[in-house]
Amino acid sequence: MPQTSLTYRTIVRVAAAAVPLFSLATPGTRAGHRGRRGAERGLSDWARRERDPARPLAWFHASSVGEGLQAESVIEALRALQPHLQFAFTHFSPSAEPLARRLRVDVSAYAPYDLPADIDAVLESLRPDLLVFSKLDLWPELATRAAARGVCVAIVAGTVSAGSGRLRWPACRILAPGYASVAAAGAIAEPDAERLIRLGVPRPAVRVLGDPRFDSVVARVRAIAADDPLLRFGQGAPTMVAGSTWPGDESALMAAFAAIRAGRPDARLIVVPHEPTPGHLAGLEALAARTGLPRPVRLSEATGPVPLLAVDRVGVLAALYGAGSMAHVGGG
């Protein structure tokens, strides 16, 4: 059975010890560190109270919101096929917390750091039968130790970009035991399948199955009511909805929006940051001022359509896209 190397364990231990230093300046990092430090205890407490040994448990892990949405459609499909299962969901990014709270799972939490003692404690508590990583956020210690216990390790929505650092030495060698532990992998496309195999996933375990995020998006769109109050923010004027934006997106968008407003003063822009932290929103307001645009109105304060709307909460992007006449997807 594959095992992680001393090199990998040393890197993770050093990284986990260094996180508190970085978290002093980054609220998101601080929140994630807090969540991961308490993850083992929270999952173990749930297991003592509610883990039913007569029911198999499927543990899904996703890094952030996008990967969580990909996992969500698989969770729902698996629940329909196997309604007797219990489900656990873990994530890495603080931005996935709202998604984790609304998922139809039995327990959700941050994933613990990929350290042997923490991983063993969670596996002993949850006793999963299936461990599913969404997209590419596979943790080698978790994968190898789960496989050693007889847990079926899988990947859904497997995606590996041609430029992924995981494919280069020494990362590929350090991470290889985790990928070698995978018993089933659903890749989005053929190139992703070939790269998963290069990472170490056994070739017979890999199949091309497409992107389950499409199923999740279709379901969410169908669930948006025609009278959803968020739709009013795009009524009566041409409106661009910029979703999951980062500062680089916003610099280009604000400059373009200022130019457009010179000829179309009724135009509107709705900005939905990927991480709507207080610092990010303050930076957005400063950028608008430098560009000569009206001060952004935050969604929590808005009572109706405004020229520039800054969304200060998560979980509303699908409905807001429906309010727009055009869209920009951030991070591209």
Side-chain angles (χ1 to χ4, degrees), residues 235-294:
Q235 293 172 353
T239 303
M240 170 174 275
V241 179
S244 299
T245 61
W246 297 90
D249 298 293
E250 291 151 9
S251 295
L253 286 164
M254 292 293 198
F257 185 49
I260 287 170
R261 276 177 55 83
R264 288 298 302 265
D266 60 330
R268 299 184 194 139
L269 175 62
I270 299 174
V271 181
V272 189
H274 182 76
E275 295 181 346
T277 61
H280 193 147
L281 293 167
L284 195 60
E285 292 170 357
L287 177 61
R290 291 196 302 271
T291 317
L293 290 168

Side-chain angles (χ1 to χ4, degrees), residues 27-37 92-94 97 110-111 113:
T29 304
R30 186 161 56 249
H33 177 64
R34 224 173 14 243
R36 278 181 285 283
R37 289 295 298 270
F92 183 84
S93 171
E97 281 193 59
Y110 279 88
Y113 284 113

Side-chain angles (χ1 to χ4, degrees), residues 10-21 33 37 113-115 118:
T10 301
I11 291 171
V12 174
R13 197 170 296 281
V14 170
V19 166
L21 298 177
H33 177 64
R37 289 295 298 270
Y113 284 113
D114 204 33
L115 296 167
D118 292 352

Side-chain angles (χ1 to χ4, degrees), residues 224-235:
I224 296 169
D227 59 351
D228 190 305
L230 291 171
L231 298 178
R232 75 185 188 277
F233 289 105
Q235 293 172 353

Side-chain angles (χ1 to χ4, degrees), residues 4-20 22 92 113-116 138-141 165-166 168-177:
T4 58
S5 64
L6 178 61
T7 300
Y8 175 78
R9 294 178 186 178
T10 301
I11 291 171
V12 174
R13 197 170 296 281
V14 170
V19 166
F22 292 102
F92 183 84
Y113 284 113
D114 204 33
L115 296 167
L138 181 143
W139 293 95
E141 201 70 66
R166 296 183 181 225
R168 295 194 292 270
W169 189 90
C172 61
R173 182 161 184 170
I174 293 171
L175 300 175

Side-chain angles (χ1 to χ4, degrees), residues 166-219:
R166 296 183 181 225
L167 294 168
R168 295 194 292 270
W169 189 90
C172 61
R173 182 161 184 170
I174 293 171
L175 300 175
Y179 289 101
S181 303
V182 174
I188 284 180
E190 193 62 47
D192 299 300
E194 290 301 320
R195 292 173 194 134
L196 283 171
I197 293 166
R198 282 176 56 190
L199 285 170
V201 178
R203 183 175 290 274
V206 182
R207 294 180 61 188
V208 177
L209 300 175
D211 191 342
R213 189 187 321 211
F214 296 152
D215 303 89
S216 175
V217 170
V218 168

